[in-house]
Amino acid sequence: MSSAWLGGSYFSVKEEPGDIDCVYVVDVERIDALDDAGRALLQFFANNKLRGLFGYQIDSFLLAWQSNPTTAPRGPQDYQYLQTRGYWDDLWSRMRSGTKDSQPTRLDSLPRRGYLEVTLDGYS
């Protein structure tokens, strides 16, 4: 299972976009099965190594997807996964109401935008 959540100004109405944000959602079992070369490649993509490459501002992160066939958290790993997933979803649903330097307001906490999810392997 893997997908990518995409956001940033390239996915907005800005006339001069400047950045792409990406969270790679990868099954923790796939991560655990990687050899050293695979882990190095994953870390390259998931830890902002793409920033500045090809002249683009690309911020990239990894969300290790935790399989849980029930709706209830089963333990610390499920809670950690849900907390991290919720963080990214909440962050990317927000839209700044002022400039980067202005003080945040209540309006900044409201879900006023979305992000694009691209399924990379059909969730197989």
Side-chain angles (χ1 to χ4, degrees):
M1 199 295 291
S2 57
S3 64
W5 293 355
L6 303 172
S9 61
Y10 274 90
F11 301 93
S12 73
V13 296
K14 284 189 177 179
E15 289 186 29
E16 295 185 31
D19 72 319
I20 298 171
D21 301 318
C22 180
V23 171
Y24 296 101
V25 183
V26 181
D27 190 328
V28 71
E29 290 181 5
R30 283 191 173 178
I31 296 169
D32 291 344
L34 291 172
D35 61 13
D36 289 341
R39 284 182 185 274
L41 183 62
L42 181 63
Q43 292 305 316
F44 177 82
F45 281 96
N47 289 324
N48 277 328
K49 303 295 186 195
L50 296 173
R51 185 179 287 188
L53 199 61
F54 310 115
Y56 295 105
Q57 175 71 26
I58 301 174
D59 294 322
S60 55
F61 306 93
L62 175 66
L63 172 59
W65 180 76
Q66 190 71 41
S67 175
N68 180 355
T70 73
T71 57
R74 299 163 299 182
Q77 287 181 324
D78 286 347
Y79 283 108
Q80 178 63 41
Y81 164 72
L82 293 170
Q83 181 179 15
T84 304
R85 182 183 178 109
Y87 166 80
W88 287 114
D89 179 64
D90 184 68
L91 177 72
W92 284 14
S93 297
R94 295 171 181 234
M95 186 168 58
R96 190 178 295 122
S97 61
T99 65
K100 287 185 179 184
D101 298 330
S102 62
Q103 282 288 344
T105 67
R106 178 176 168 78
L107 183 59
D108 295 325
S109 70
L110 300 176
R112 300 185 300 143
R113 69 175 183 159
Y115 50 89
L116 174 66
E117 180 174 6
V118 178
T119 303
L120 302 174
D121 66 359
Y123 288 100
S124 58

